[in-house]
Amino acid sequence: MLKLIIMIILSLLLSGCASSSDLSARAKNNEKAGRYYESIGQPQAAQREYELAAQHAKQSEEGETILFDILWGLFTGK
């Protein structure tokens, strides 16, 4: 059982999985950048930032991310 947990954790870490709070923070930053780009008249750049914000928000709710948060919390005690 321990080997299975270690393999899952390593696969998540190697695949570049970020925590849901990190992804939520990225989404908020992308939204802010999108609003900034709109305010200075760069709609294409704003659209890219809004698309990244939506992508990060969606990723923060995926099962892999939630599993990573749970497993990370078990091993770090948080």
Side-chain angles (χ1 to χ4, degrees):
M1 181 67 172
L2 182 59
K3 287 182 181 181
L4 176 63
I5 293 173
I6 291 172
M7 286 176 40
I8 291 171
I9 291 172
L10 286 176
S11 67
L12 290 173
L13 290 174
L14 293 175
S15 67
C17 186
S19 72
S20 60
S21 59
D22 290 340
L23 289 169
S24 295
R26 289 180 192 176
K28 287 179 185 178
N29 286 338
N30 289 124
E31 287 178 28
K32 288 179 187 177
R35 287 192 299 271
Y36 170 75
Y37 284 128
E38 277 184 356
S39 72
I40 62 171
Q42 295 185 357
Q44 291 96 357
Q47 183 62 33
R48 283 192 304 268
E49 292 296 330
Y50 289 137
E51 289 170 2
L52 284 172
Q55 179 184 4
H56 289 144
K58 182 181 175 189
Q59 286 175 342
S60 73
E61 298 170 357
E62 290 180 351
E64 283 181 355
T65 306
I66 294 168
L67 177 63
F68 177 79
D69 286 343
I70 291 169
L71 292 174
W72 187 256
L74 288 173
F75 285 102
T76 61
K78 293 181 180 181

